[in-house]
Amino acid sequence: STADEVSWIFAEPSKAAIVDSMAPAERRNPAILNGSRRARVARGSGTTPADVNRLLKQFAEARKIMKTLTAGRFARRMGGGGR
């Protein structure tokens, strides 16, 4: 689940506050966070919109890395994958 995927990002309290300030639908699908929603999350978490953007970018990168790692494992199990 998304909550599990972002748990490693919670190292700083402000990051936890940002996620806590999101609506459940925004946590499930961060792509729906437009500019006004990001500003609301920033106000609610006591951070800046730039901090919210940074966290969302980190999450997108982590998700991308996990997807490529998972795809690599699947390819190796199916007999492909370079090794």
Side-chain angles (χ1 to χ4, degrees), residues 51-69:
D51 293 330
V52 175
N53 291 338
R54 193 174 308 112
L55 178 70
L56 292 172
K57 188 173 181 177
Q58 287 175 348
F59 175 70
E61 285 297 314
R63 180 177 262 179
K64 187 170 125 182
I65 290 168
M66 290 303 293
K67 196 174 280 191
T68 58
L69 289 175

Side-chain angles (χ1 to χ4, degrees), residues 25-74:
E26 294 166 344
R27 285 188 217 127
R28 280 190 298 273
N29 183 14
I32 65 173
L33 281 165
N34 60 19
S36 62
R37 286 177 180 237
R38 289 174 193 224
R40 177 188 46 77
V41 169
R43 280 193 311 272
S45 62
T47 60
T48 66
D51 293 330
V52 175
N53 291 338
R54 193 174 308 112
L55 178 70
L56 292 172
K57 188 173 181 177
Q58 287 175 348
F59 175 70
E61 285 297 314
R63 180 177 262 179
K64 187 170 125 182
I65 290 168
M66 290 303 293
K67 196 174 280 191
T68 58
L69 289 175
T70 304
R73 284 191 200 126
F74 181 73

